[in-house]
Amino acid sequence: MKLAVKIALYNACMRLVLVGACGVFWPAPLIPTWYVAVTVFLSVMVVADLGYTNFLLRPLRILIRRKLRLIQDPGQFDFVPLKTSTTDLRQLDKRINNLMSQLDIRFACEKAFTAYASHELLTPIAVLRNRFDNIIADEETPDHIASRLVDSQQTLQRLSRIVQMLLCLARIENHQYLKNETVSIRAVLMEVLHALDDRIAMKEITLGLDEGPDIVSISANHSLLYTMLLNLIGNAVRYNPDQGQVTIGWGRFGNRPTLTISDSGPGMTPEQIAMLTQYGRPVKATGNGIGLQVIQTISRFHRIGISIELPAKGGTIITLKFTDTQ
């Protein structure tokens, strides 16, 4: 039965009851007892009206709570049909299930294509880099040709980095990474700083590392956390001016331990902040945009909150708020 029909029948019944009650009470003398009786009767009608409306809309609340809640992947949608006798709600549930089923298929195809294309692109890139190395190492290669090949190698390296980021995103979205490790964030941080030593020294950047209690993340993935911190600190170094400053500190946000990375660079644009903090934000086809998407995806995968501040004096302060820690 349709929802409108149910409500109309209920209202008709309540009106009949109200007319019958008026016929009973109207001839009676106006004494305080009847006033009390009428008040109680009207109160019961209001409660009954609210109760019946609540009963009719209960399947809709279940639909919202169970199916229309915030989900991170169409594959997590609950396709179990809604149990209700209301035709409108059954049709709504069916349409939502069909829509999410189509989205799930399209999303799975897109993820599979991204993973396949990224994987296939790595092989020719590696072949080209190997050929360029051989040509550059050949003594008969003129210097001006060798210099151009070196520039081409740098372009290939950037392309390889972008492809690897796309492949990382596809693997995370396809749930190909496990979170079965207990990871020391301080240990990962030291690995990242060691990998960036040359770049930090080349730009003469002052690195400040505050003392603080270590963050031990349980149910984590070491390689993904390394990639996230490498991208974050790498961006802080890359976009910092020469002789700039990068400061890394520890703290707490409520009951959550935090890691803060601040730099003296030009700061982030509102679009870059949205890429880093909003799930599903469209990403430009650039290394920086994809790098921010990788950071956002890994943080969401580990349930790490990200907040960004832009101080008036310049620079950027990024705070990572960890969960599942000991």
Side-chain angles (χ1 to χ4, degrees), residues 132-150:
F132 288 164
D133 287 337
N134 293 335
I135 296 174
I136 294 172
D138 191 345
E139 296 179 355
E140 298 181 359
T141 303
D143 291 341
H144 67 282
I145 298 297
S147 63
R148 292 180 180 178
L149 289 176
V150 169

Side-chain angles (χ1 to χ4, degrees), residues 221-293:
N221 185 287
H222 180 277
S223 63
L224 289 181
L225 290 176
Y226 175 86
T227 300
M228 181 184 69
L229 292 180
L230 181 65
N231 276 277
L232 278 172
I233 302 176
N235 287 341
V237 173
R238 182 184 309 163
Y239 299 104
N240 231 331
D242 292 345
Q243 299 179 349
Q245 186 174 4
V246 175
T247 303
I248 302 174
W250 311 85
R252 297 196 71 83
F253 181 82
N255 60 347
R256 302 172 68 177
T258 61
L259 179 68
T260 301
I261 302 168
S262 58
D263 62 69
S264 56
M268 299 178 67
T269 64
E271 185 178 17
Q272 290 173 332
I273 294 176
M275 283 185 195
L276 197 57
T277 57
Q278 296 179 12
Y279 174 64
R281 178 79 176 188
V283 179
K284 291 184 178 180
T286 63
N288 182 42
I290 296 175
L292 295 177
Q293 184 65 44

Side-chain angles (χ1 to χ4, degrees), residues 118-171:
S118 301
H119 181 74
E120 290 299 317
L121 282 172
L122 288 176
T123 300
I125 290 174
V127 172
L128 287 175
R129 293 180 63 180
N130 186 46
R131 288 180 180 176
F132 288 164
D133 287 337
N134 293 335
I135 296 174
I136 294 172
D138 191 345
E139 296 179 355
E140 298 181 359
T141 303
D143 291 341
H144 67 282
I145 298 297
S147 63
R148 292 180 180 178
L149 289 176
V150 169
D151 293 338
S152 298
Q153 276 191 323
Q154 293 177 352
T155 302
L156 280 176
Q157 185 175 0
R158 289 195 294 270
L159 178 59
S160 176
R161 184 169 60 249
I162 292 175
V163 172
Q164 288 175 352
M165 288 181 180
L166 286 172
L167 187 58
C168 178
L169 284 173
R171 286 175 174 172

Side-chain angles (χ1 to χ4, degrees), residues 22 28 47 132 148 181 193 318:
C22 290
V47 172
F132 288 164
R148 292 180 180 178
E181 299 174 283
L193 294 178
I318 298 179

